[in-house]
PDB file of all heavy atoms in Angstrom:
ATOM      1  N   PHE B 121      -0.243  66.182  -0.932  1.00 90.00           N
ATOM      2  CA  PHE B 121       0.341  67.074  -1.944  1.00 90.00           C
ATOM      3  C   PHE B 121       0.865  66.342  -3.223  1.00 90.00           C
ATOM      4  O   PHE B 121       0.791  66.916  -4.294  1.00 90.00           O
ATOM      5  CB  PHE B 121       1.419  67.941  -1.426  1.00 90.00           C
ATOM      6  CG  PHE B 121       0.897  68.889  -0.293  1.00 90.00           C
ATOM      7  CD1 PHE B 121       1.352  68.662   0.966  1.00 90.00           C
ATOM      8  CD2 PHE B 121       0.023  69.896  -0.585  1.00 90.00           C
ATOM      9  CE1 PHE B 121       0.927  69.423   1.956  1.00 90.00           C
ATOM     10  CE2 PHE B 121      -0.460  70.729   0.436  1.00 90.00           C
ATOM     11  CZ  PHE B 121       0.005  70.490   1.811  1.00 90.00           C
ATOM     12  N   VAL B 122       1.449  65.117  -2.983  1.00 90.00           N
ATOM     13  CA  VAL B 122       2.130  64.481  -4.217  1.00 90.00           C
ATOM     14  C   VAL B 122       1.264  63.528  -4.805  1.00 90.00           C
ATOM     15  O   VAL B 122       1.221  63.514  -6.076  1.00 90.00           O
ATOM     16  CB  VAL B 122       3.498  63.893  -3.562  1.00 90.00           C
ATOM     17  CG1 VAL B 122       4.107  63.219  -4.837  1.00 90.00           C
ATOM     18  CG2 VAL B 122       4.314  64.891  -2.998  1.00 90.00           C
ATOM     19  N   VAL B 123       0.527  62.678  -4.086  1.00 89.00           N
ATOM     20  CA  VAL B 123      -0.222  61.519  -4.689  1.00 89.00           C
ATOM     21  C   VAL B 123      -1.245  62.034  -5.736  1.00 89.00           C
ATOM     22  O   VAL B 123      -1.269  61.501  -6.831  1.00 89.00           O
ATOM     23  CB  VAL B 123      -0.848  60.731  -3.701  1.00 89.00           C
ATOM     24  CG1 VAL B 123      -1.862  59.706  -4.290  1.00 89.00           C
ATOM     25  CG2 VAL B 123       0.248  59.875  -2.878  1.00 89.00           C
ATOM     26  N   PRO B 124      -2.010  63.112  -5.408  1.00 86.00           N
ATOM     27  CA  PRO B 124      -3.034  63.626  -6.426  1.00 86.00           C
ATOM     28  C   PRO B 124      -2.339  63.939  -7.790  1.00 86.00           C
ATOM     29  O   PRO B 124      -2.968  63.718  -8.873  1.00 86.00           O
ATOM     30  CB  PRO B 124      -3.552  64.767  -5.840  1.00 86.00           C
ATOM     31  CG  PRO B 124      -3.339  64.610  -4.297  1.00 86.00           C
ATOM     32  CD  PRO B 124      -2.085  63.862  -4.209  1.00 86.00           C
ATOM     33  N   GLU B 125      -1.138  64.404  -7.695  1.00 86.00           N
ATOM     34  CA  GLU B 125      -0.251  64.798  -8.953  1.00 86.00           C
ATOM     35  C   GLU B 125       0.167  63.619  -9.710  1.00 86.00           C
ATOM     36  O   GLU B 125       0.320  63.606 -10.876  1.00 86.00           O
ATOM     37  CB  GLU B 125       1.002  65.692  -8.593  1.00 86.00           C
ATOM     38  CG  GLU B 125       0.524  66.827  -7.744  1.00 86.00           C
ATOM     39  CD  GLU B 125      -0.481  67.823  -8.398  1.00 86.00           C
ATOM     40  OE1 GLU B 125      -0.477  67.920  -9.705  1.00 86.00           O
ATOM     41  OE2 GLU B 125      -1.157  68.466  -7.657  1.00 86.00           O
ATOM     42  N   LEU B 126       0.259  62.464  -9.015  1.00 88.00           N
ATOM     43  CA  LEU B 126       0.803  61.253  -9.733  1.00 88.00           C
ATOM     44  C   LEU B 126      -0.289  60.388 -10.232  1.00 88.00           C
ATOM     45  O   LEU B 126      -0.091  59.593 -11.113  1.00 88.00           O
ATOM     46  CB  LEU B 126       1.467  60.359  -8.670  1.00 88.00           C
ATOM     47  CG  LEU B 126       2.734  60.979  -8.009  1.00 88.00           C
ATOM     48  CD1 LEU B 126       3.399  60.026  -7.004  1.00 88.00           C
ATOM     49  CD2 LEU B 126       3.793  61.291  -9.072  1.00 88.00           C
ATOM     50  N   LEU B 127      -1.585  60.762  -9.896  1.00 86.00           N
ATOM     51  CA  LEU B 127      -2.696  60.016 -10.389  1.00 86.00           C
ATOM     52  C   LEU B 127      -2.992  60.299 -11.776  1.00 86.00           C
ATOM     53  O   LEU B 127      -2.431  61.448 -12.267  1.00 86.00           O
ATOM     54  CB  LEU B 127      -3.958  60.346  -9.616  1.00 86.00           C
ATOM     55  CG  LEU B 127      -3.982  59.894  -8.051  1.00 86.00           C
ATOM     56  CD1 LEU B 127      -5.225  60.330  -7.368  1.00 86.00           C
ATOM     57  CD2 LEU B 127      -4.117  58.329  -8.088  1.00 86.00           C
ATOM     58  N   PRO B 128      -3.698  59.394 -12.581  1.00 86.00           N
ATOM     59  CA  PRO B 128      -4.124  59.969 -13.889  1.00 86.00           C
ATOM     60  C   PRO B 128      -4.845  61.238 -13.913  1.00 86.00           C
ATOM     61  O   PRO B 128      -5.506  61.588 -12.755  1.00 86.00           O
ATOM     62  CB  PRO B 128      -5.009  58.859 -14.413  1.00 86.00           C
ATOM     63  CG  PRO B 128      -4.737  57.649 -13.443  1.00 86.00           C
ATOM     64  CD  PRO B 128      -4.121  58.200 -12.278  1.00 86.00           C
ATOM     65  N   GLU B 129      -4.708  62.017 -14.850  1.00 84.00           N
ATOM     66  CA  GLU B 129      -5.188  63.387 -14.779  1.00 84.00           C
ATOM     67  C   GLU B 129      -6.593  63.549 -14.294  1.00 84.00           C
ATOM     68  O   GLU B 129      -6.916  64.356 -13.301  1.00 84.00           O
ATOM     69  CB  GLU B 129      -5.068  63.985 -16.161  1.00 84.00           C
ATOM     70  CG  GLU B 129      -4.988  65.562 -16.186  1.00 84.00           C
ATOM     71  CD  GLU B 129      -4.738  66.033 -17.654  1.00 84.00           C
ATOM     72  OE1 GLU B 129      -3.868  65.474 -18.306  1.00 84.00           O
ATOM     73  OE2 GLU B 129      -5.261  67.146 -17.908  1.00 84.00           O
ATOM     74  N   ASP B 130      -7.535  62.776 -14.827  1.00 85.00           N
ATOM     75  CA  ASP B 130      -8.902  62.775 -14.425  1.00 85.00           C
ATOM     76  C   ASP B 130      -9.064  62.534 -12.885  1.00 85.00           C
ATOM     77  O   ASP B 130      -9.731  63.245 -12.227  1.00 85.00           O
ATOM     78  CB  ASP B 130      -9.781  61.945 -15.235  1.00 85.00           C
ATOM     79  CG  ASP B 130      -9.986  62.353 -16.661  1.00 85.00           C
ATOM     80  OD1 ASP B 130      -9.506  63.553 -16.903  1.00 85.00           O
ATOM     81  OD2 ASP B 130     -10.343  61.560 -17.550  1.00 85.00           O
ATOM     82  N   ALA B 131      -8.407  61.485 -12.512  1.00 85.00           N
ATOM     83  CA  ALA B 131      -8.603  61.076 -11.145  1.00 85.00           C
ATOM     84  C   ALA B 131      -7.994  62.089 -10.214  1.00 85.00           C
ATOM     85  O   ALA B 131      -8.621  62.451  -9.223  1.00 85.00           O
ATOM     86  CB  ALA B 131      -7.919  59.691 -10.930  1.00 85.00           C
ATOM     87  N   GLY B 132      -6.747  62.683 -10.569  1.00 83.00           N
ATOM     88  CA  GLY B 132      -6.197  63.693  -9.820  1.00 83.00           C
ATOM     89  C   GLY B 132      -7.081  64.976  -9.671  1.00 83.00           C
ATOM     90  O   GLY B 132      -7.159  65.549  -8.598  1.00 83.00           O
ATOM     91  N   ARG B 133      -7.627  65.356 -10.723  1.00 84.00           N
ATOM     92  CA  ARG B 133      -8.456  66.517 -10.744  1.00 84.00           C
ATOM     93  C   ARG B 133      -9.762  66.266  -9.808  1.00 84.00           C
ATOM     94  O   ARG B 133     -10.120  67.164  -9.021  1.00 84.00           O
ATOM     95  CB  ARG B 133      -9.018  66.831 -12.198  1.00 84.00           C
ATOM     96  CG  ARG B 133      -9.736  68.281 -12.266  1.00 84.00           C
ATOM     97  CD  ARG B 133     -10.053  68.623 -13.564  1.00 84.00           C
ATOM     98  NE  ARG B 133      -9.085  68.578 -14.618  1.00 84.00           N
ATOM     99  CZ  ARG B 133      -9.134  67.724 -15.751  1.00 84.00           C
ATOM    100  NH1 ARG B 133     -10.256  66.970 -15.846  1.00 84.00           N
ATOM    101  NH2 ARG B 133      -8.104  67.656 -16.572  1.00 84.00           N
ATOM    102  N   TRP B 134     -10.243  65.024  -9.953  1.00 85.00           N
ATOM    103  CA  TRP B 134     -11.399  64.654  -9.118  1.00 85.00           C
ATOM    104  C   TRP B 134     -11.099  64.740  -7.645  1.00 85.00           C
ATOM    105  O   TRP B 134     -11.707  65.382  -6.798  1.00 85.00           O
ATOM    106  CB  TRP B 134     -11.869  63.324  -9.534  1.00 85.00           C
ATOM    107  CG  TRP B 134     -13.109  62.836  -8.635  1.00 85.00           C
ATOM    108  CD1 TRP B 134     -14.409  63.244  -8.832  1.00 85.00           C
ATOM    109  CD2 TRP B 134     -13.136  62.038  -7.458  1.00 85.00           C
ATOM    110  NE1 TRP B 134     -15.184  62.685  -7.968  1.00 85.00           N
ATOM    111  CE2 TRP B 134     -14.394  62.033  -7.041  1.00 85.00           C
ATOM    112  CE3 TRP B 134     -12.161  61.305  -6.753  1.00 85.00           C
ATOM    113  CZ2 TRP B 134     -14.833  61.294  -5.885  1.00 85.00           C
ATOM    114  CZ3 TRP B 134     -12.527  60.627  -5.541  1.00 85.00           C
ATOM    115  CH2 TRP B 134     -13.856  60.602  -5.233  1.00 85.00           C
ATOM    116  N   VAL B 135      -9.768  64.169  -7.268  1.00 81.00           N
ATOM    117  CA  VAL B 135      -9.361  64.277  -5.825  1.00 81.00           C
ATOM    118  C   VAL B 135      -9.330  65.759  -5.465  1.00 81.00           C
ATOM    119  O   VAL B 135      -9.627  66.169  -4.423  1.00 81.00           O
ATOM    120  CB  VAL B 135      -8.156  63.542  -5.619  1.00 81.00           C
ATOM    121  CG1 VAL B 135      -7.553  63.847  -4.349  1.00 81.00           C
ATOM    122  CG2 VAL B 135      -8.296  62.042  -5.871  1.00 81.00           C
ATOM    123  N   LYS B 136      -8.751  66.665  -6.201  1.00 78.00           N
ATOM    124  CA  LYS B 136      -8.330  67.938  -5.839  1.00 78.00           C
ATOM    125  C   LYS B 136      -9.629  68.846  -5.814  1.00 78.00           C
ATOM    126  O   LYS B 136      -9.717  69.653  -5.007  1.00 78.00           O
ATOM    127  CB  LYS B 136      -7.333  68.618  -6.860  1.00 78.00           C
ATOM    128  CG  LYS B 136      -5.939  67.989  -6.543  1.00 78.00           C
ATOM    129  CD  LYS B 136      -4.908  68.574  -7.351  1.00 78.00           C
ATOM    130  CE  LYS B 136      -4.761  68.014  -8.550  1.00 78.00           C
ATOM    131  NZ  LYS B 136      -3.671  68.436  -9.463  1.00 78.00           N
ATOM    132  N   ARG B 137     -10.505  68.590  -6.754  1.00 79.00           N
ATOM    133  CA  ARG B 137     -11.634  69.596  -6.977  1.00 79.00           C
ATOM    134  C   ARG B 137     -12.923  69.171  -6.467  1.00 79.00           C
ATOM    135  O   ARG B 137     -13.802  69.849  -5.984  1.00 79.00           O
ATOM    136  CB  ARG B 137     -11.749  69.976  -8.328  1.00 79.00           C
ATOM    137  CG  ARG B 137     -10.641  70.671  -8.847  1.00 79.00           C
ATOM    138  CD  ARG B 137     -10.945  71.568 -10.137  1.00 79.00           C
ATOM    139  NE  ARG B 137      -9.755  72.093 -10.652  1.00 79.00           N
ATOM    140  CZ  ARG B 137      -9.521  72.309 -11.852  1.00 79.00           C
ATOM    141  NH1 ARG B 137     -10.442  72.026 -12.797  1.00 79.00           N
ATOM    142  NH2 ARG B 137      -8.379  72.864 -12.327  1.00 79.00           N
ATOM    143  N   GLU B 138     -13.244  67.776  -6.635  1.00 81.00           N
ATOM    144  CA  GLU B 138     -14.607  67.361  -6.393  1.00 81.00           C
ATOM    145  C   GLU B 138     -14.792  66.479  -5.122  1.00 81.00           C
ATOM    146  O   GLU B 138     -15.882  66.418  -4.540  1.00 81.00           O
ATOM    147  CB  GLU B 138     -15.157  66.581  -7.583  1.00 81.00           C
ATOM    148  CG  GLU B 138     -15.472  67.512  -8.687  1.00 81.00           C
ATOM    149  CD  GLU B 138     -15.629  66.836 -10.075  1.00 81.00           C
ATOM    150  OE1 GLU B 138     -16.558  65.830 -10.106  1.00 81.00           O
ATOM    151  OE2 GLU B 138     -15.040  67.195 -10.978  1.00 81.00           O
ATOM    152  N   LEU B 139     -13.744  65.718  -4.727  1.00 83.00           N
ATOM    153  CA  LEU B 139     -13.873  64.958  -3.604  1.00 83.00           C
ATOM    154  C   LEU B 139     -14.175  65.782  -2.319  1.00 83.00           C
ATOM    155  O   LEU B 139     -13.421  66.705  -2.016  1.00 83.00           O
ATOM    156  CB  LEU B 139     -12.505  64.209  -3.271  1.00 83.00           C
ATOM    157  CG  LEU B 139     -12.362  63.353  -2.067  1.00 83.00           C
ATOM    158  CD1 LEU B 139     -13.291  62.134  -2.183  1.00 83.00           C
ATOM    159  CD2 LEU B 139     -10.898  62.998  -1.784  1.00 83.00           C
ATOM    160  N   PRO B 140     -15.337  65.553  -1.672  1.00 85.00           N
ATOM    161  CA  PRO B 140     -15.580  66.267  -0.529  1.00 85.00           C
ATOM    162  C   PRO B 140     -14.640  66.048   0.575  1.00 85.00           C
ATOM    163  O   PRO B 140     -14.239  64.912   0.886  1.00 85.00           O
ATOM    164  CB  PRO B 140     -17.051  65.842  -0.170  1.00 85.00           C
ATOM    165  CG  PRO B 140     -17.227  64.532  -0.835  1.00 85.00           C
ATOM    166  CD  PRO B 140     -16.285  64.508  -1.993  1.00 85.00           C
ATOM    167  N   LEU B 141     -14.349  67.015   1.368  1.00 86.00           N
ATOM    168  CA  LEU B 141     -13.371  66.818   2.552  1.00 86.00           C
ATOM    169  C   LEU B 141     -12.097  66.128   2.145  1.00 86.00           C
ATOM    170  O   LEU B 141     -11.792  65.081   2.764  1.00 86.00           O
ATOM    171  CB  LEU B 141     -14.114  66.075   3.608  1.00 86.00           C
ATOM    172  CG  LEU B 141     -15.421  66.669   4.187  1.00 86.00           C
ATOM    173  CD1 LEU B 141     -16.218  65.804   5.171  1.00 86.00           C
ATOM    174  CD2 LEU B 141     -15.157  68.069   4.880  1.00 86.00           C
ATOM    175  N   PRO B 142     -11.351  66.546   1.149  1.00 86.00           N
ATOM    176  CA  PRO B 142     -10.242  65.810   0.767  1.00 86.00           C
ATOM    177  C   PRO B 142      -9.245  65.551   1.871  1.00 86.00           C
ATOM    178  O   PRO B 142      -8.628  64.404   2.037  1.00 86.00           O
ATOM    179  CB  PRO B 142      -9.555  66.682  -0.378  1.00 86.00           C
ATOM    180  CG  PRO B 142     -10.128  67.940  -0.124  1.00 86.00           C
ATOM    181  CD  PRO B 142     -11.545  67.799   0.518  1.00 86.00           C
TER     182      PRO B 142
END
Side-chain angles (χ1 to χ4, degrees):
Chain B
F121 298 113
V122 181
V123 170
E125 306 299 331
L126 298 177
L127 291 172
E129 205 172 319
D130 290 346
R133 191 179 306 122
W134 181 80
V135 168
K136 283 184 277 189
R137 295 203 186 147
E138 284 166 53
L139 177 69
L141 303 172

